Amino acid sequence: MKTIFRVAKTELRTLFFSPIAWFLIIIFLVQCAIVYIGMLDGAAREQEANGKIFMSVTDYLFLSRQGLFGTVMQNLYLYMPLLTMGLISRETSSGTIKLLHSSPIKIREIVLGKFLSMMIYSFLLVMIIGLFVLSGYFHVVNADMGMLLSGMLGFFLLLCAYSAIGIFMSSLTNYQIVAAICTFVMFGVLSKIGDLWQDIAFIRNLTYFLSISGRTGKMLGGLITTKDVIYFLAIIFMFLGFTIYRMKAAMESVPFIMKTGRYLLVLVCTLAIGYISSIPSLIGYYDATADKSRTLAVSAQKIVKEMDAPLEVTAYNNLLSGLFSFGEPKAYNANIARWEPYLRFKHNIELKTVQYYDTSFENPNFARFMGGKTLEQYAKQAADNRDASFSIFKKPEEIRKIIDLKPELNRYVMQLKYKGRTTFLRVFDDNKRWPSETEVSAALKRLQGARMPKIIFVMGNLQRDINKIGDREYRVLTNLKTFRNSLINQGFDVDTLALNAQDIPKDITALVLADPKVKLSPEETDKLQRYIDGGGIMLIAGEPGKQDMLNPLLSKLGIQLREGILVQASKQLQPELITTYITAECAGFFPPLTHAHHDSAKVSMPNACVLSYTDTGAFKTFPLLMTDPQVTWLKKGKLVSDSAEVVFNAAEGDERQTFPTALGLTRKINNKQQRIVVLGDADFMSNAELNRFNLRNINFIFATGLFSWLNNGEFPIDSSRPPAKDVNVTVTKERVKLLKIIYVWVLPGLLLAAGAILLLRRKRK
């Protein structure tokens, strides 16, 4: 060990007695300072403008694409080749390598000593990053230090791996510039090798393991895994081993086969280490984040851990679907990564993919794209365009014998199988695409045989239809399979009921009566009344002008839909579109509703009427949504919004005050709590309103929160995280200007002066 330390000390003296080491450190410091100060200035300005920052400041400063960690990752590979290019090649070109060979120093001591010097220099670079991590601790309120320290570990391991690669490349040539170029090339090879031969089962795991691309991603985000740590150690072992054998080969006369065998032995050992370290049951995890955000939510963990038998996930992938990339052969390791959070807690998850081709029902104009070709001809052309072997795809008649995928639109879908039960898990038409913990947890609960909440929508009186896609209907909310937030993807079963011909089942979770256009018959009203009297859970939604349809039923609850329509002054939107505030009682229904309430989010309601209520003694009644009296009022007269500005007119009976537009009712009956929701608007969860670009998220959250409350919060499964605590900075934009002078000019200037003094003193000696 003493020899290794002496070699390292000598190498460091050589390194710091040259301008290159000082130059790179100063450049690295300036680069980090400019990025950090720029991001901090943006955070300070936003805080001063809005009073708070609407995201994690730690993430913003360090993990965002323009943040410190992201910027450093984009440029870090540029530094090490310039440092390592002369480690061995300098000795070879100057002839000093012969003196080393003739000395009692062993080859491995030379290599390890030089590598140790690079580790120390890498540590200095990481300490520069640490300077800004420490600054973040003081500049950000409740900064997530665990995540930042994890990121620093990732940078250090990456730099050490780069150093090992650079040392090996330096041993291959006498020319330093050639060594630097070869190092850059090797970095590129290791970055891209993970994309090669991913359609060949035996090879893809080997090339994927060797890929260095994305290896620090988890650590930068705060999740440390043994698989990633061992990867860097294995890469260091491999390239240092290559270097030792390369230097031995230069001073030994051994057969070519023996030389090659040494390299193969090192490579095989590295791949064996990688294979063993990637076995799911052997991988260790440590979530360094403050809120454990890189780990499954506690609710999801509990569901996964309750599964005591293997889980089989079979993905059916249509060559002609727009989602083919999710299941193509080269996406195998990407899908493993998507399932890794679940494999962490359940190791016996088996992933399979069945490739087929068939008509795609995603696009109604699919036949037009075929250009007169048969389905098989079109599929062959598609396979050729994707460089895929057509022989791996099952024909339509073959896949249809196995499973009917037409209800799933013949698009990419996963069938989960557990203890003989099956269910589908879908991908969605949004930016995220992949199912979140909420959708996966709901599917797993269904597999476990849990009683899923069943929501029945009353039909027969021109109510809102859950199977139509028209503006006023409810398909988007209820059973649109391609939409993430539809009830069927959140763990609910939905169905319809013709009240005039069927009785209300006893095993349902809730009954929905939404905007009947035809007056209910005495028989239908009697069925609903008996359902309510028996403790049935219900959601009732009405509309202005249709008060007579529901008021007879609602009168038994002490509620009435008042005459008139709510209007809201707006320069941009129609006056009958109002926005309502979520009350504190409603905010407790559903964690995302709590966050929306804290952010003063509003629910949009077009064509809403006011609800009035009296205390009958049977139910506890409380508002869920309230209007803003400053901009909203109840208009009693006829609304004409297309010819003149709508104004408040007390002479016509208009009223201005805070009105409830949604009410919750509870009472204890039959040893359980009965819950009822009454709304003065049925459009708030219609297809048209949920697709409104500016407010759709809040309306979805509110509608989902209502159904969550009606089924006692069991579904959707709560996988939300607590809001970020690090949403404030302790500096002003004026103080940031001072910090910029210190970080960008003073500190680099001090380093420049120290380096210049050292180099001048060295030159004089």
Side-chain angles (χ1 to χ4, degrees), residues 239-388:
F239 281 99
L240 291 183
F242 286 169
T243 306
I244 291 171
Y245 286 129
R246 171 71 181 90
M247 294 181 67
K248 281 188 175 182
M251 57 182 296
E252 295 177 347
S253 179
V254 294
F256 175 77
I257 295 178
M258 183 176 292
K259 292 181 180 179
T260 305
R262 289 172 173 175
Y263 292 116
L264 289 177
L265 177 63
V266 173
L267 179 61
V268 169
C269 290
T270 302
L271 294 177
I273 292 171
Y275 174 79
I276 295 172
S277 66
S278 299
I279 297 174
S281 59
L282 299 180
I283 300 175
Y285 296 85
Y286 176 69
D287 190 343
T289 59
D291 58 357
K292 304 302 176 186
S293 59
R294 310 308 179 197
T295 306
L296 288 180
V298 174
S299 57
Q301 290 184 42
K302 182 180 178 182
I303 293 170
V304 173
K305 290 176 180 178
E306 287 174 352
M307 305 184 75
D308 56 0
L311 172 65
E312 183 180 302
V313 181
T314 303
Y316 292 95
N317 191 39
N318 186 359
L319 170 65
L320 305 181
S321 166
L323 300 174
F324 174 73
S325 60
F326 277 102
E328 61 183 330
K330 65 181 182 181
Y332 174 81
N333 282 298
N335 283 326
I336 292 287
R338 294 185 181 107
W339 279 96
E340 187 176 4
Y342 305 91
L343 287 165
R344 173 180 175 181
F345 298 98
K346 182 174 178 59
H347 308 312
N348 54 349
I349 299 179
E350 181 184 357
L351 304 180
K352 299 189 299 183
T353 301
V354 175
Q355 306 285 355
Y356 73 98
Y357 72 90
D358 202 348
T359 303
S360 173
F361 296 103
E362 295 173 283
N363 190 335
N365 298 317
F366 175 75
R368 186 182 303 173
F369 293 109
M370 293 177 61
K373 298 183 179 67
T374 65
L375 188 62
E376 182 176 355
Q377 291 172 335
Y378 185 66
K380 285 182 177 179
Q381 180 181 339
D384 182 63
N385 291 340
R386 297 178 180 273
D387 295 324

Side-chain angles (χ1 to χ4, degrees), residues 134-197:
L134 182 63
S135 298
Y137 175 77
F138 292 104
H139 296 156
V140 180
V141 178
N142 297 316
D144 193 342
M145 293 303 295
M147 181 187 71
L148 298 179
L149 294 175
S150 171
M152 290 176 63
L153 173 63
F155 281 124
F156 181 68
L157 291 174
L158 181 62
L159 284 169
C160 289
Y162 282 169
S163 299
I165 296 169
I167 290 174
F168 174 62
M169 292 302 159
S170 181
S171 70
L172 296 178
T173 176
N174 296 339
Y175 302 99
Q176 296 186 30
I177 189 63
V178 174
I181 294 173
C182 290
T183 304
F184 281 121
V185 171
M186 182 54 68
F187 289 169
V189 170
L190 289 179
S191 296
K192 298 298 183 182
I193 195 171
D195 298 330
L196 301 178
W197 306 299

